[in-house]
Each structure stands twice: as C-alpha cells, then as structure tokens.
Amino acid sequence: MRFFKTAPLLAICFLAGAAHAQNADGERLFKQRCGACHSLKAGENRVGPSLADINGRPAGSLEGVRYSPALRDSGIRWDATNLDAFVENSQKMVPGTRMNIRISDPDQRKAITDYLLSAQ
C-alpha cells in the first residue's frame, strides 16, 4: 500500500530526470552538430546567425547576417515543427538555402530542437 502513495513522486522524479537527460543530450548534440557555426548568445553571430530566442522568429530576419534569398523570403517562422523539418533536410525544406544540414535520426533532431527552444 505504501508504494501507491510514493509512486506519483517516483514518476515525477523519473520524468524530471529523463527531461534533464534529454536536455543534456540536446546540448551535446547542439555543440557537436551546430555549435561551430551558431551561438545561443544574443547578438553573437558566427558563420551562421545566433540562435538565441529563435522560437517564433521569422527565418532570415536577424540584422547583420547574410542570409540566402531563399531563406529570407521563405515565410518560415521558427517553431518546433519547422526546426525539426529544417534540421532533417534544410535543402528539401528551403531549396537554395546556404545552410546545409541533414540529421535523419528523429531522436537526435528532437533533442536538438528541444534544447534550442528551452535555452531561450
């Protein structure tokens, strides 16, 4: 009987631990796959634009960044769905973009996307 009283607490602890592990995995994958060209610090553009506060931002809209006309004119607003599709195959989503990335593993894409959106 005592287990049933502690089960909800155990479930909360497990889910919090799993979320933390996924966030850590997303951070690792971001650093490996994206970090050389992109920063999460606002205003810190590298080869690619800063990805700080990306959630809801129109694609190709940061000042001082040389975007391809294809991305700038795409009409995309970044959210979890659009980030996932772009990271899966940027050239398929936005033909003509200068960004070239393909991550076929959906778990890796989700980890990166979740990390990007939680790092805001």
Side-chain angles (χ1 to χ4, degrees), residues 34-99:
C34 315
C37 296
H38 295 281
S39 170
L40 287 176
K41 293 181 185 172
E44 186 178 292
N45 298 318
R46 296 180 182 168
V47 172
S50 167
L51 299 180
D53 299 318
I54 194 168
N55 193 24
R57 185 169 77 205
S61 64
L62 283 183
E63 293 294 321
V65 177
R66 285 187 30 205
Y67 293 102
S68 65
L71 187 61
R72 192 177 52 245
D73 300 337
S74 68
I76 294 169
R77 191 168 286 276
W78 295 120
D79 60 16
T81 301
N82 286 330
L83 284 167
D84 180 72
F86 192 77
V87 171
E88 180 179 19
N89 187 340
S90 59
Q91 296 295 317
K92 181 179 177 185
M93 184 177 182
V94 183
T97 184
R98 290 184 185 118
M99 174 70 184

Side-chain angles (χ1 to χ4, degrees), residues 16-33:
H20 178 72
Q22 174 143 0
N23 199 36
D25 195 41
E27 181 178 13
R28 178 184 59 79
L29 288 166
F30 175 83
K31 287 178 180 177
Q32 289 175 345
R33 296 293 201 64

